[in-house]
Amino acid sequence: FREKDTDVHFHFNMRLGGPYDYLQLKVEDLMKIKELFILISNNYKDKKFKLFSELYLRSLEGGKVGLDLRFLLLIMAFESLYLPDENQEVSFRLSVKAANILSKYKFGKPKENYKIIREIYKVRSDLVHNGKTDKLNNRIFSLLTNIVRLSLIIYLRDKNLFSKSISIEEIIF
């Protein structure tokens, strides 16, 4: 792929550390990659973006880091984005806000998203408060990874969605 005398090379020498062990790029993906690159370039100094993206990337490293710790890194990224200074009931606020924002960007329906996020948050609570859980599995980790990835892209496109608290009137289900 060549554009304006700049070569872009994708080197893939090792298996991805996340729940996905493959990488497939299509021609139509290049425009999306370019758009994402521009969004990242325009936001690389944003402190919230730095924290959020670093936690997300660390969660995908794999290696000797267990699934439980990687899951907690994803939860930290998720909470740092959706809960800017919330003091109200965390899991409810997080679930409602994320469900609504994700559905606004065509990722599922609010009610379905809410149920998924509540399920993920129950795993988080078990892990944080009990130190272990039998509910954490690859399916839950993959769901959270995808939600955090999509949330990062949505944040880059519209930061204002994440800066305000959600009111009871904004709950759409």
Side-chain angles (χ1 to χ4, degrees), residues 10 25 28-38:
F10 292 96
L25 292 175
E28 57 267 17
D29 294 328
L30 294 177
M31 288 308 293
K32 291 178 185 176
I33 292 169
K34 182 178 178 181
E35 177 194 358
L36 189 56
F37 179 77
I38 291 168

Side-chain angles (χ1 to χ4, degrees), residues 31-40 42-43 49 81 101 104-106 149-162:
M31 288 308 293
K32 291 178 185 176
I33 292 169
K34 182 178 178 181
E35 177 194 358
L36 189 56
F37 179 77
I38 291 168
L39 286 169
I40 291 169
N42 292 338
N43 290 282
F49 171 71
L81 185 62
I101 288 173
K104 178 180 177 182
Y105 279 84
K106 309 293 187 251
R149 179 186 61 79
L150 290 169
S151 297
L152 177 57
I153 293 168
I154 294 168
Y155 174 79
L156 289 171
R157 290 186 175 144
D158 191 355
K159 292 179 191 178
N160 292 329
L161 287 173
F162 299 92

Side-chain angles (χ1 to χ4, degrees), residues 1-12 23 25-27 29-38:
F1 154 72
R2 200 166 188 82
E3 182 177 331
K4 296 183 184 175
D5 295 323
T6 300
D7 287 334
V8 176
H9 301 273
F10 292 96
H11 296 278
F12 193 71
L23 179 63
L25 292 175
K26 300 176 209 138
V27 174
D29 294 328
L30 294 177
M31 288 308 293
K32 291 178 185 176
I33 292 169
K34 182 178 178 181
E35 177 194 358
L36 189 56
F37 179 77
I38 291 168

Side-chain angles (χ1 to χ4, degrees), residues 3 37 44 59 67 69 109-110 113 116 120 130 134 138:
E3 182 177 331
F37 179 77
Y44 77 96
S59 73
L67 190 64
L69 293 176
K109 295 181 179 178
N113 290 342
I116 291 168
I120 289 168
N130 301 325
D134 59 351
N138 285 335

